[in-house]
Amino acid sequence: MSDAPVIGGVVDFAKGAVETITGERARKEKKAAQKAQDDAIARQEALFEEQKKAEDEKQAQMDLEQSRAENTRITKAKRQRQKAQSARGRSSTILTGKGGLPPTEATTARKSLLGL
Amino acid sequence: MKFSEETVSVVFEEGMDLLFQHYKEVSAFQDIALEPDIKQYHAAEAAGAIKTFTVREEGELVGYAAFFIQSNAHYKSSLQAVQDVIFIRKDKRGHGYKFIDYCDQQLKEHGCQVVYHHVKFSHDWSPMLERLGYQAVDKVLARRLD
């Protein structure tokens, strides 16, 4: 009588158990790896949103500063134009108004005032 | 400067500000918002379809390059790399030649036969590629449809 089939059966059973354990471990490892990847993606997406918000704020601030600078430039130019117009008006009145100079002399004087 | 092969995670975790600098400097369509599909990059990496290389100075990430690698549909036995992104921070430039050469050597070790780089007309650094032995083979054009 041989014990071989019994031994073989025991070996097969043990082998099956080992395979089950190995398979279970592989599944657990795969699941853990998947979770780690999902966590990494979620973390990186949050980092991106954070950076995007910071960049948007920076851009909004830059736009605001640019807009302010442009407004200041426009206001300054407008004031200078008004000032020049007003000066021209005043010099005309002074030179050619009642008691002023004759027209030809007024023109010469105006040119002189304007540095021409 | 230290060049290494790293993961896409490194770029997304340490180089987010670099991504925005890169976008602002070279993006052809600034009205199309930067919005990387992080999940897709991870999936590509898990499938071995993307390789990421970094430039570091004293440990700080100052540049990166990523290449999609796959066998060409026309020549299936030829593994080819297509540059997805490449960037070095403005104040750390001057090492691009060595970095690209490093990337090429790594890609060669990964079995790539050909490397493709796309270069913007507005930032044409193709002379550097030509010095490395690259030759112009394609022109890429884009048309807005919206």
Side-chain angles (χ1 to χ4, degrees), chain B residues 26-53:
Chain B
V26 307
S27 171
F29 304 118
Q30 293 280 331
D31 61 318
I32 301 177
L34 177 66
E35 194 183 9
D37 189 340
I38 296 171
K39 203 178 274 183
Q40 192 183 320
Y41 277 99
H42 277 269
E45 189 167 74
I50 193 166
K51 298 292 172 198
T52 307
F53 306 102

Side-chain angles (χ1 to χ4, degrees), chain B residues 60-112:
Chain B
E60 187 190 4
L61 184 73
V62 297
Y64 54 76
F67 296 82
F68 282 109
I69 60 171
Q70 59 179 35
S71 56
N72 190 296
H74 303 175
Y75 323 104
K76 69 176 182 183
S77 61
S78 176
L79 193 65
Q80 303 192 345
V82 180
Q83 179 241 92
D84 175 46
V85 284
I86 186 161
F87 182 73
I88 297 179
R89 210 170 78 189
K90 263 186 181 173
D91 59 330
K92 302 292 175 190
R93 289 183 188 167
H95 306 272
Y97 183 94
K98 284 183 183 169
F99 182 48
I100 294 165
D101 198 33
Y102 167 82
C103 293
D104 289 354
Q105 294 313 314
Q106 299 304 305
L107 291 166
K108 189 178 177 183
E109 282 183 23
H110 285 298
C112 291

Side-chain angles (χ1 to χ4, degrees), chain A residues 6-115:
Chain A
V6 177
I7 292 169
V10 170
V11 169
D12 284 349
F13 175 77
K15 196 178 159 195
V18 168
E19 278 175 359
T20 305
I21 291 166
T22 311
E24 185 64 24
R25 187 180 296 160
R27 266 193 299 278
K28 275 186 183 167
E29 281 174 2
K30 198 178 166 189
K31 202 173 164 186
Q34 186 60 53
K35 190 181 178 312
Q37 194 188 62
D38 291 346
D39 289 349
I41 291 169
R43 193 173 55 246
Q44 288 158 22
E45 282 175 344
L47 278 172
F48 174 77
E49 289 305 325
E50 204 176 294
Q51 185 74 32
K52 190 174 184 300
K53 198 176 159 194
E55 295 289 336
D56 287 347
E57 279 169 10
K58 210 192 302 179
Q59 188 60 49
Q61 185 62 31
M62 277 166 62
D63 290 346
L64 185 68
E65 278 166 20
Q66 201 176 350
S67 162
R68 274 185 190 152
E70 182 63 9
N71 284 343
T72 309
R73 191 190 63 77
I74 291 168
T75 311
K76 203 175 165 185
K78 202 173 164 184
R79 265 195 215 132
Q80 275 174 343
R81 259 199 320 274
Q82 283 170 343
K83 208 173 162 185
Q85 273 171 353
S86 154
R88 270 200 301 275
R90 266 202 314 278
S91 66
S92 291
T93 310
I94 292 164
L95 296 170
T96 60
K98 197 178 175 187
L101 297 167
T104 317
E105 285 176 36
T107 307
T108 311
R110 191 182 298 122
K111 280 184 179 174
S112 167
L113 276 172
L114 293 170

